[in-house]
Amino acid sequence: LVRNTKRLVKRITKAKKRALPAVVMGISLPSVAVTLKERPFRFSVELDEQLGLFVVQDSAGMALAKGVKPGLALTGLNGENLFSMTEAELEEKLQQASLPARFTFLQMP
């Protein structure tokens, strides 16, 4: 994991000196944390089965005002990881979530 440009340049330079034929790099986009105090939460998600992620389809009201927008992936609810849940399991979690509800979203590249 490289956290700044200087270290990235150093690693690329080192790879060039070693004459590596290829270097694989990835990026980690920051998460978006949103707390909603009341229901309805005013956003909807759909499971993208290919990605295995719940992707926001639309949002309104306070959810939209706090940065929940289409294309974000919902990954956490009140500190619980939502990966590998079914839509029915997520729906149950959303209905039973204590308030205020803390959501974690990831920006999709």
Side-chain angles (χ1 to χ4, degrees), residues 14-64:
K14 187 175 180 180
K16 285 182 178 182
K17 285 180 183 177
R18 293 174 61 194
L20 295 177
V23 176
V24 177
M25 294 189 294
I27 60 169
S28 177
L29 298 173
S31 61
V32 176
V34 173
T35 299
L36 297 174
K37 296 179 181 179
E38 58 187 45
R39 289 182 174 81
F41 296 129
R42 308 282 309 267
F43 69 89
S44 65
V45 296
E46 187 173 288
L47 179 60
D48 182 321
E49 292 184 19
Q50 189 173 14
L51 295 174
L53 296 171
F54 293 102
V55 179
V56 175
Q57 300 301 305
D58 59 52
S59 67
M62 191 55 66
L64 182 60

Side-chain angles (χ1 to χ4, degrees), residues 2-3 6 19-21 25 34 37 43 45 54 57 67 72 76 78-79 94 96 103 107:
V2 178
R3 296 189 184 270
K6 187 175 180 178
L20 295 177
M25 294 189 294
V34 173
K37 296 179 181 179
F43 69 89
V45 296
F54 293 102
Q57 300 301 305
L72 291 177
N78 289 336
L94 289 169
Q96 295 176 357
F103 296 93
Q107 296 181 29

